[in-house]
Amino acid sequence: MMEQSKLYDLSKNQVAPILCDYVYWVLKCAEVRGIHTLYFLARDGYVLREIAEIICKEKEIKIECKYLYCSRASLRMPSYHIIDKEEVYDLLFAGGYHVTLKSIFDRAKIPKSEWKIILQESGYPASIDLDRERSYLEIQNDRHNFEKSNRFSQIVIQNSKYAYPDTIAYFRQEGLFGQNIVGIVDSGWTGSMQRSLRQLLESAGFQGKITGFYFGMYVEPKDSKDGEYLCWYFSKKKNKLNKILFCNNLFECFLSAPHGMTLAYQRCGLKSDPVLAPPLSEKEINLVKTQILGILDGAKRNIHSLDVSCKRSEVILRKLMAFPDQTTSQIY
C-alpha cells in the first residue's frame, strides 16, 4: 500500500503536469491545422487520450479523441506484402532488446513446424541455439542467411496477405478513411508506426495525409510521403539537452495501459476487433491503475495552468530522469 501511495503522489505531482502540457500542445496544434479527430495510438496513448478528454471538456475544444488499438507488430505484418523486400527484411531483422533467432521467427509469425526447414535453407547447423541473444553484427548476418530461404519469404508474405483484410476493415470501422488529415498521437522515438499506417491506408485507396504529434523523435522521418511529424520535447535536431537527459523506457512506464499489446485484428460478425496479448498480472494492473488515477487527478488540478511550452516539463523531467532521489528510483 505504501508503494502504491508513493506511486500515486509521483504520478499526480510530477508526471501529470508533463503529460498535460504535452497533450495541450497537441490539441492546440491540431486546432490550428483544422484537425477535428485525433487518434491516440495504443498503448502509450491510453492515458494521453484520457487527459485530452478532460482538457477538451474544460477548454471547450471541439476535437474528437479516439483510441486506436495498434502496435508495431500489428501494423507491420499486414504491410509486408505491399512494401519492397528490402524494407521487409530491414524491419524483421531490426536490432532491439534481447533479439534471438526464436524472436525473429516470432516477429515473422513462422510456425514452429517450419523452423527446421528454414534453418536448413539458411545454412544453420541443427544444434544452433535459438534462444541465445544475438549481437548487432550477428543479426545482420542472420538477415543475409535468411534471405537464402524461399520458405521463410513465402510464409512471411502468406501471413501478411492473411492479416491485411482484417486490418483494413478495422481502420475503416474506426473512421480513418473518412479523414482528410489523419491526426495521430504517440510517444514517438522513430516514427515507424506512422510510416506503416500510411503504407496500409494508401494501399487501400486513402488519398489524405497523416500528421503525427510526438513527445520526442530520435531520428529524422524516413520519407516525406509518410506525412508530417511534429515533436514537442525534442527531435533529432532540436532540444538536444532534453534528449540527452531523457529516458524513453521510463517515459513509457508513465504511459502504461491496463491491457496487453495489440497483436492483430479479427472480424467478429460485422465488427473488427483487436487481438490483444494476454492480460498483465494482477499486481501490474493494480500499479497501472494507481498511476493512471494519480495522473488524471493531477490533470484536473493542472487544468488552469496549462502551457504549450515544455519549460515546466524540462525542470521536472531532467531531475526525475537524470538525477532521481532514492525514493523515486525505488518506486520505478
Side-chain angles (χ1 to χ4, degrees):
M1 291 299 294
M2 181 65 71
E3 179 186 10
Q4 290 196 341
S5 175
K6 290 178 179 178
L7 177 61
Y8 172 87
D9 289 341
L10 266 172
S11 303
K12 180 178 180 179
N13 299 324
Q14 298 193 55
V15 178
I18 298 162
L19 300 185
C20 285
D21 286 353
Y22 167 53
V23 171
Y24 189 50
W25 169 81
V26 169
L27 292 170
K28 299 308 289 184
C29 286
E31 271 192 319
V32 169
R33 285 164 172 76
I35 297 173
H36 303 295
T37 303
L38 286 171
Y39 291 88
F40 291 76
L41 304 188
R43 289 180 287 175
D44 289 1
Y46 185 91
V47 73
L48 297 178
R49 177 184 176 272
E50 296 292 314
I51 293 169
E53 294 276 23
I54 292 171
I55 295 175
C56 284
K57 182 177 180 180
E58 179 66 28
K59 302 291 184 181
E60 298 184 346
I61 297 174
K62 306 299 182 183
I63 292 178
E64 183 180 10
C65 301
K66 303 187 72 171
Y67 188 59
L68 192 73
Y69 283 94
C70 60
S71 68
R72 287 190 296 272
S74 75
L75 296 182
R76 287 176 180 176
M77 177 52 70
S79 74
Y80 287 147
H81 74 288
I82 62 172
I83 62 178
D84 64 67
K85 189 174 182 179
E86 186 77 12
E87 185 170 358
V88 172
Y89 281 80
D90 284 345
L91 296 172
L92 287 173
F93 292 88
Y97 171 72
H98 194 60
V99 177
T100 65
L101 289 175
K102 182 181 182 301
S103 70
I104 290 171
F105 279 131
D106 289 341
R107 282 180 184 178
K109 295 189 177 179
I110 305 294
K112 195 170 184 178
S113 58
E114 300 284 350
W115 293 4
K116 185 176 179 180
I117 297 170
I118 292 170
L119 289 170
Q120 286 176 344
E121 289 184 347
S122 303
Y124 290 95
S127 60
I128 187 76
D129 184 356
L130 300 181
D131 293 311
R132 184 176 67 79
E133 189 166 340
R134 315 294 282 179
S135 69
Y136 176 79
L137 290 177
E138 285 177 315
I139 295 169
Q140 299 314 303
N141 189 54
D142 293 332
R143 170 185 176 154
H144 175 72
N145 292 336
F146 273 72
E147 285 176 335
K148 301 172 189 174
S149 172
N150 290 327
R151 190 63 182 146
F152 180 77
S153 178
Q154 288 169 0
I155 295 175
V156 168
I157 297 305
Q158 286 172 5
N159 289 341
S160 179
K161 289 180 178 179
Y162 178 80
Y164 181 83
D166 289 348
T167 303
I168 297 301
Y170 176 71
F171 292 161
R172 289 193 189 282
Q173 170 185 290
E174 298 305 308
L176 274 76
F177 286 92
Q179 313 290 332
N180 292 322
I181 303 176
V182 172
I184 61 175
V185 186
D186 199 7
S187 51
W189 321 146
T190 67
S192 64
M193 288 178 68
Q194 179 168 331
R195 177 169 176 79
S196 294
L197 186 61
R198 189 273 299 173
Q199 290 167 332
L200 288 165
L201 292 175
E202 190 177 83
S203 74
F206 178 71
Q207 296 182 335
K209 69 174 187 175
I210 301 178
T211 295
F213 300 91
Y214 299 104
F215 195 87
M217 290 271 289
Y218 288 111
V219 299
E220 289 290 296
K222 189 177 180 71
D223 192 328
S224 60
K225 291 191 300 184
D226 297 333
E228 190 175 20
Y229 290 75
L230 302 173
C231 302
W232 185 63
Y233 194 66
F234 66 85
S235 66
K236 174 73 173 176
K237 298 178 179 178
K238 186 183 80 170
N239 295 339
K240 288 187 177 181
L241 185 57
N242 285 354
K243 181 170 65 174
I244 291 167
L245 299 179
F246 186 78
C247 176
N248 61 305
N249 298 309
L250 178 56
F251 189 77
E252 288 175 15
C253 289
F254 298 161
L255 301 180
S256 295
H259 65 78
M261 183 180 79
T262 306
L263 301 176
Y265 308 93
Q266 64 182 8
R267 296 298 292 270
C268 298
L270 299 176
K271 194 170 180 292
S272 293
D273 291 328
V275 179
L276 303 181
L280 307 172
S281 71
E282 185 177 352
K283 179 181 178 181
E284 288 174 320
I285 290 175
N286 287 337
L287 287 171
V288 169
K289 288 182 176 179
T290 296
Q291 179 171 261
I292 290 173
L293 179 61
I295 290 171
L296 297 184
D297 285 350
K300 293 167 187 172
R301 188 176 70 179
N302 279 274
I303 198 71
H304 299 298
S305 60
L306 299 171
D307 184 359
V308 296
S309 80
C310 55
K311 297 303 181 185
R312 173 166 64 169
S313 296
E314 286 175 352
V315 174
I316 299 172
L317 275 178
R318 288 177 184 180
K319 184 177 188 304
L320 190 64
M321 292 184 164
F323 309 100
D325 58 33
Q326 186 176 5
T327 300
T328 302
S329 298
Q330 288 173 338
I331 290 171
Y332 288 118

